Amino acid sequence: MADTHLHIPPEWAAAAEHVRRHEVHRIVVLGARDTGKSTLCRFLTMISVQSGRSTALLDTDVGQKAIGPPACVTMSDAQGLFLAFVGTTNPALGWQNLIRGTRRLMERTNADLLVVNTSGLLAGPGLRLKAAKIDEVQPDVLIALGEDPALAAIADGRASLPVLRLPSSPMARRKTDGERRAVRREAFRHYFAGAAIHRLAPGLVEGMGAGAPLPVDLLVGLADPDGNDIGMGLMKNAAAATIEVLSPVAAGSIARIVPGLLRLDDNFTERCAPHGTSG
């Protein structure tokens, strides 16, 4: 356990103590790319669990994930890992599904502490998205990581909300866009490892009508009969009589298929889906 704390700045440890002492129940962690948000979220979660509190980590970054696969909002608590399908790794493009997924996953946990990780998109559409996310989560505390000027604009819009300002991780390293794509590619590859082809009724596809069939290799979300997202698939055939979906999810649990906004080629590299394939 000592290794876990090896590179933790003292300000981070003080923030964890603040959370414990003030019985904070909801935290939103903000910061630019490559400042250590995921590391801080995991640290706060670990310290909370060690103190005996029931704790959930909600990851709303759909691109560079702390937990679970890309293109989803994900949450880990004592009950396991849950996801809500967004259908894209671009938070601005999928912001409505992102906010909806955040709400749905929050409703699935009764953890005493909820730690919310966010993407590094802060300016422009990122500013509006962060505002919507804060409105949805209703945190007790914001944690602003690093020195990006956009953090002040976000905090100024929530003058009554306490803000803990912390330094970036000393281990954080600026990653190139190519490195980010490679990380997502490997995350998708890991998710689909061991997946099988399922032959399913086309009526399961949300919004499926008389239009053109869904493109091959389109990323789709899969939901159970209760409407809970249970995983993802790749469309392999969308013929009129049957559809074929590659997925690690058991075929018998799939009650609804939701088209996304990404295609993944055979190497799990992202490709934009044709316009109009997602509702």
Side-chain angles (χ1 to χ4, degrees), residues 181-205:
R181 288 192 295 269
V183 168
R184 292 196 298 270
R185 182 171 61 246
E186 290 308 308
F188 280 125
R189 189 193 310 277
H190 175 75
Y191 179 80
F192 284 100
I197 292 285
H198 304 315
R199 291 171 176 81
L200 303 166
L204 297 181
V205 179

Side-chain angles (χ1 to χ4, degrees), residues 126-278:
L127 181 62
R128 295 187 292 274
L129 178 58
K130 294 300 183 294
K133 199 172 296 183
I134 291 168
D135 287 342
E136 190 62 52
V137 175
Q138 292 292 300
D140 303 309
V141 170
L142 290 179
I143 294 183
L145 198 56
E147 303 295 333
D148 194 293
L151 292 170
I154 296 172
D156 289 346
R158 299 292 187 279
S160 63
L161 188 57
V163 180
L164 300 180
R165 302 181 186 276
L166 304 181
S168 302
S169 167
M171 302 303 293
R173 179 184 68 84
R174 178 69 65 180
K175 294 185 285 293
T176 66
D177 289 343
E179 288 176 311
R180 294 175 186 281
R181 288 192 295 269
V183 168
R184 292 196 298 270
R185 182 171 61 246
E186 290 308 308
F188 280 125
R189 189 193 310 277
H190 175 75
Y191 179 80
F192 284 100
I197 292 285
H198 304 315
R199 291 171 176 81
L200 303 166
L204 297 181
V205 179
E206 185 177 85
M208 189 78 159
L214 297 179
V216 172
D217 293 330
L218 182 71
L219 189 69
V220 296
L222 308 173
D224 65 16
D226 295 324
N228 296 313
D229 291 345
I230 52 176
M232 297 189 295
L234 289 174
M235 186 67 64
K236 292 300 181 181
N237 179 25
T242 186
I243 59 173
E244 294 182 350
V245 176
L246 176 72
S247 179
V249 175
S253 58
I254 300 171
R256 184 167 58 99
I257 300 172
V258 180
L261 295 169
L262 278 180
R263 294 173 68 190
L264 301 180
D265 67 17
D266 291 342
N267 193 39
F268 296 97
T269 299
E270 297 168 49
R271 300 282 185 260
C272 289
H275 181 72
T277 58
S278 179

